[in-house]
Amino acid sequence: VTEQPLRIGIAGLGVVGGGVVTTLQQNAGLIASRIEREIQIVAVSARNKSRHRHLPLGDATWCDRAVDLANHPDVDVVVELIGGSEGVARELCETALKNGKHVVTANKALIAHHGVELAQLAESQRRVLAFEAAVAGGIPIVKAFREALGANRFHRVAGILNGTCNYILSAMQHRHQDFETVLAEAQRLGYAEADPSFDVDGIDTAHKLAILTSLAYGSAVDIEGVHIEGIRSIALQDIIFADQLGYVIKLLGIARETEQGIEQRVHPCMVPSHSALAAVEDAFNAVEVEGDATGKMIFEGRGAGAGPTASAVIADIMDIARGSWYRPFNLPADKLQKRNRAAMDDLEVACYLRLSVIDRPGVLAEITSIFRDEQISLHSCLQRARMPGSVVQVVLTTHETRESALQRAVKRIGALDAMTDSPRLIRIENL
Ligand SMILES: NC(=O)c1ccc[n+]([C@@H]2O[C@H](COP(=O)([O-])OP(=O)(O)OC[C@H]3O[C@@H](n4cnc5c(N)ncnc54)[C@H](OP(=O)(O)O)[C@@H]3O)[C@@H](O)[C@H]2O)c1
């Protein structure tokens, strides 16, 4: 090892920051031999200086304000592991790049909202802005898009991008427990945050999807253009019916390029039980990429946690240590185009509908006449028990239909007298 050490400053010493510090120490020799350089933590910052962290921080300088890392003369790379799309994290990354430092971050919210501006700044300074850890944790998907898959045109990108949601849906499926029960347990075990809305309402998945879309299609990151639905409305009954129909329910982020523009959607999907994504269980993440040259590929692994996320952060730091420079989103940042958004209404999709209806003659006829009016063709219909006068579940699946027609039908069915609850719609994604 002959070159000067690469000097880093780490802001945020929580789950990810702690993982980075620990892994850097545990694998120091190996890492240094691979990059022929040492990585030195010269400064750190977190909110609470007096917290006992049990981290091997050596003689790293403590900075009370994270932004001081961006002004620190000995820091070559600022590693931002605080989080949040605004405030301290944003200020730190902007200032660091302006001051000619490289930036490595795990912050998907920041990149989803400000990735293009930050990339412009990085490019103007010819510094690296790296965010492998921001999407799917330990899975090297950003690098795959940026480097290994560069020759492909992509038909579709579909991912299970949030471990908390996948954990909840898997537990509902295997233990036959409802959403609230599983969520409460996930919170107890630390798999879900006290405020789980970023995860279960699909926002975190949307952040990651928006980043992948930009990498795959060369479009400007467009978080506002993502259609987002979370998993709170998924009932245990839906999971059970899905199983009977040969499907598994997953929260997917899907991106495609259509004639209308870029389609980005996050919502629960029924995927065939034999598909690769159906087999991705618990807190694991997976991304299915379909390239014109490669065909379908699956990247699967741990999408969160100290070790997997640290692995991605350190890989980015190692690239910088080797002297690599690249454009964060592949294309020059000012060539990333603002593209049209494909309207959700124009989506062609099959769906599952569960209707809670009072079992009385003529109800099914009313429902099917609505489908006829909307020219929706039914694929299957399931009504388990006959219980005249009481509430039964009717489950229907449709062939591929225009989303707008489905939504009109759902609205009309929901208004029928015999309905005792609003219809539940889950789109079927035949992967
Ligand atoms: N957790 C994961 O598995 C995972 C996976 C992929 C990406 N990420 C991303 O990684 C980032 C960090 O996540 P995390 O899970 O490690 O969060 P965390 O455990 O909550 O840690 C956040 C750290 O930031 C520090 N911090 C908070 N406000 C600060 C401020 N104003 N100035 C300086 N430091 C401040 C905290 O200080 P104190 O320790 O003193 O409170 C803490 O050390 C986020 O962007 C997250 O989305 C996380």
Side-chain angles (χ1 to χ4, degrees):
V1 179
T2 50
E3 269 193 74
Q4 292 291 312
L6 182 75
R7 301 164 307 173
I8 66 172
I10 303 179
L13 296 169
V15 175
V16 182
V20 169
V21 173
T22 310
T23 309
L24 275 176
Q25 194 215 28
Q26 276 169 359
N27 294 351
L30 185 71
I31 292 168
S33 67
R34 286 178 176 158
I35 54 177
E36 299 179 81
R37 254 178 116 169
E38 270 173 40
I39 295 173
Q40 234 176 44
I41 304 173
V42 294
V44 295
S45 176
R47 204 168 18 198
N48 181 352
K49 187 178 180 182
S50 56
R51 173 170 293 172
H52 270 287
R53 299 176 193 273
H54 308 290
L55 292 174
L57 287 170
D59 49 10
T61 310
W62 174 273
C63 295
D64 282 330
R65 294 177 341 131
V67 74
D68 292 344
L69 295 175
N71 298 311
H72 196 298
D74 295 337
V75 169
D76 305 314
V77 183
V78 166
V79 183
E80 185 278 305
L81 304 171
I82 296 173
S85 63
E86 308 299 329
V88 183
R90 184 180 179 191
E91 189 195 354
L92 171 62
C93 292
E94 278 176 4
T95 315
L97 291 169
K98 280 184 190 148
N99 290 351
K101 302 191 189 297
H102 304 286
V103 169
V104 174
T105 178
N107 189 335
K108 49 254 174 175
L110 177 72
I111 299 299
H113 285 277
H114 305 296
V116 177
E117 300 129 65
L118 289 170
Q120 280 165 342
L121 198 51
E123 289 176 12
S124 69
Q125 299 278 37
R126 226 180 150 76
R127 289 296 178 271
V128 170
L129 166 67
F131 45 82
E132 181 63 69
V135 185
I139 304 174
I141 189 70
V142 173
K143 207 184 235 293
F145 274 115
R146 223 184 36 231
E147 297 176 7
L149 298 175
N152 287 267
R153 192 177 289 281
F154 299 104
H155 296 310
R156 182 178 57 193
V157 180
I160 295 174
L161 298 170
N162 184 272
T164 306
C165 288
N166 207 49
Y167 172 86
I168 292 174
L169 292 171
S170 296
M172 288 172 74
Q173 181 192 344
H174 295 302
R175 295 188 225 142
H176 281 200
Q177 288 174 327
D178 63 20
F179 173 81
E180 295 299 338
T181 309
V182 175
L183 173 62
E185 191 220 42
Q187 286 170 321
R188 243 190 348 266
L189 295 174
Y191 292 141
E193 305 278 338
D195 174 3
S197 43
F198 253 55
D199 293 322
V200 301
D201 294 331
I203 299 159
D204 177 74
T205 302
H207 286 153
K208 296 166 182 168
L209 180 70
I211 298 170
L212 289 183
T213 307
S214 173
L215 287 163
Y217 298 110
S219 50
V221 187
D222 181 17
I223 183 67
E224 313 293 334
V226 186
H227 171 89
I228 310 176
E229 295 169 34
I231 62 165
R232 285 186 207 261
S233 63
I234 302 297
L236 177 56
Q237 270 179 323
D238 298 318
I239 303 240
I240 294 169
F241 281 126
D243 183 49
Q244 291 171 6
L245 292 164
Y247 295 105
V248 174
I249 300 178
K250 296 288 181 193
L251 181 73
L252 298 189
I254 299 172
R256 287 193 315 152
E257 193 171 24
T258 74
E259 279 170 15
Q260 281 77 43
I262 300 284
E263 172 186 311
Q264 300 185 87
R265 51 194 168 100
V266 172
H267 55 74
C269 293
M270 287 201 181
V271 300
S273 309
H274 55 75
S275 62
L277 290 183
V280 177
E281 302 234 319
D282 303 325
F284 277 76
N285 282 19
V287 183
E288 186 178 285
V289 181
E290 201 176 335
D292 59 351
T294 59
K296 267 192 200 171
M297 269 178 306
I298 297 274
F299 298 78
E300 185 183 350
R302 292 186 193 278
T309 314
S311 163
V313 169
I314 296 170
D316 280 342
I317 298 172
M318 289 169 75
D319 276 344
I320 295 169
R322 291 187 187 100
S324 308
W325 187 79
Y326 49 83
R327 299 184 184 277
F329 291 96
N330 244 345
L331 298 185
D334 49 18
K335 295 237 164 61
L336 295 168
Q337 287 173 5
K338 278 211 161 82
R339 302 280 299 279
N340 282 340
R341 297 169 181 168
M344 196 62 189
D345 271 354
D346 295 337
L347 186 69
E348 294 283 333
V349 70
C351 88
Y352 151 102
L353 271 178
R354 177 167 59 84
L355 311 173
S356 306
V357 297
I358 297 170
D359 190 4
R360 66 174 185 231
V363 175
L364 214 51
E366 286 181 87
I367 294 168
T368 48
S369 72
I370 294 175
F371 282 113
R372 184 203 54 217
D373 293 352
E374 295 295 347
Q375 301 197 321
I376 296 171
S377 124
L378 282 181
H379 177 260
S380 71
C381 176
L382 203 96
Q383 181 190 331
R384 276 287 176 245
R386 270 229 62 211
M387 287 187 285
S390 45
V391 179
V392 291
Q393 301 294 305
V394 174
V395 169
L396 306 163
T397 61
T398 74
H399 288 288
E400 279 209 348
T401 313
R402 189 155 279 227
E403 170 86 11
S404 52
L406 278 173
Q407 296 297 346
R408 280 194 302 271
V410 165
K411 207 165 164 199
R412 285 179 61 191
I413 292 169
L416 294 176
D417 278 349
M419 293 291 299
T420 61
D421 196 356
S422 46
R424 302 301 171 95
L425 177 150
I426 301 175
R427 299 177 190 87
I428 297 173
E429 206 63 39
N430 284 307
L431 295 162

